[in-house]
Amino acid sequence: MILIGLVGWEMCIRDRLGSAVMVVANSSAARLSERWGLRKTMCCVCIPFAGAALLAGWVDSQALYLLLAAAYGLCSGVANPTLNYAAIRTLPREKRGAGSSTLFLFQDLGYGLGAMVCGWTASGMGYHLMYTLAALFVLAVLPVCAWFSAGKRL
């Protein structure tokens, strides 16, 4: 697997590429969510995000790995502000700050716990299973979004 063979500068390029695409995607996320709604936007984000996570376990070239980094950046750049936008739109004005911070608290908790679980999985069972589980966790967001947006204009 190429991930193990990447040296520091290659990992840096991957991280910078994903971050640059994320910044660009952030700027269009609210408009996309306004136009399509939460369910459709999150479906259009989570499915390719899960596909990229699944493919990451089978990467055999640096070019493909960089392409997956761009896909991660695009999907994260749309998903994070879309979820925040949905949380803010559903809450009364006086609770929006608390709602937004609660969302980000759970996102940070997910990033921290996800890194630990992925590390344990990779060391115990390999990268293929780790990325497969990551893809399943991303897909688990879809029913949560469907439940959250049920009966609401999101």
Side-chain angles (χ1 to χ4, degrees), residues 38-39 42-43 46 136-150:
L38 176 67
R39 286 183 190 188
M42 291 306 292
C43 279
C46 286
L136 292 174
F137 282 123
V138 169
L139 290 176
V141 170
L142 290 175
V144 172
C145 287
W147 171 79
F148 179 76
S149 64

Side-chain angles (χ1 to χ4, degrees), residues 83-84 87-88 91 94-109:
L83 291 172
N84 190 35
I88 288 172
L91 295 170
E94 65 275 1
K95 293 186 179 183
R96 289 180 179 171
S100 186
S101 66
T102 302
L103 171 72
F104 289 126
L105 171 75
F106 280 100
Q107 279 183 338
D108 290 343
L109 185 63

Side-chain angles (χ1 to χ4, degrees), residues 3-137:
L3 180 65
I4 301 302
L6 291 178
V7 293
W9 67 271
E10 292 166 323
M11 293 294 279
C12 182
I13 290 171
R14 186 228 37 201
D15 291 342
R16 298 302 174 257
L17 176 65
S19 297
V21 173
M22 186 183 300
V23 168
V24 172
N26 269 327
S27 65
S28 63
R31 279 177 267 144
L32 212 71
S33 183
E34 260 308 303
R35 183 175 301 155
W36 290 355
L38 176 67
R39 286 183 190 188
K40 192 183 284 186
T41 303
M42 291 306 292
C43 279
C44 290
V45 167
C46 286
I47 292 171
F49 201 0
L54 199 56
L55 284 174
W58 305 97
V59 171
D60 61 353
S61 75
Q62 292 176 350
L64 181 58
Y65 192 67
L66 291 176
L67 183 64
L68 292 176
Y72 277 154
L74 178 66
C75 295
S76 292
V78 173
N80 290 337
T82 298
L83 291 172
N84 190 35
Y85 182 67
I88 288 172
R89 283 193 57 193
T90 58
L91 295 170
R93 184 173 298 272
E94 65 275 1
K95 293 186 179 183
R96 289 180 179 171
S100 186
S101 66
T102 302
L103 171 72
F104 289 126
L105 171 75
F106 280 100
Q107 279 183 338
D108 290 343
L109 185 63
Y111 287 135
L113 290 176
M116 290 189 313
V117 169
C118 284
W120 292 328
T121 304
S123 67
M125 293 175 252
Y127 283 98
H128 299 301
L129 182 61
M130 179 194 78
Y131 282 114
T132 302
L133 290 175
L136 292 174
F137 282 123

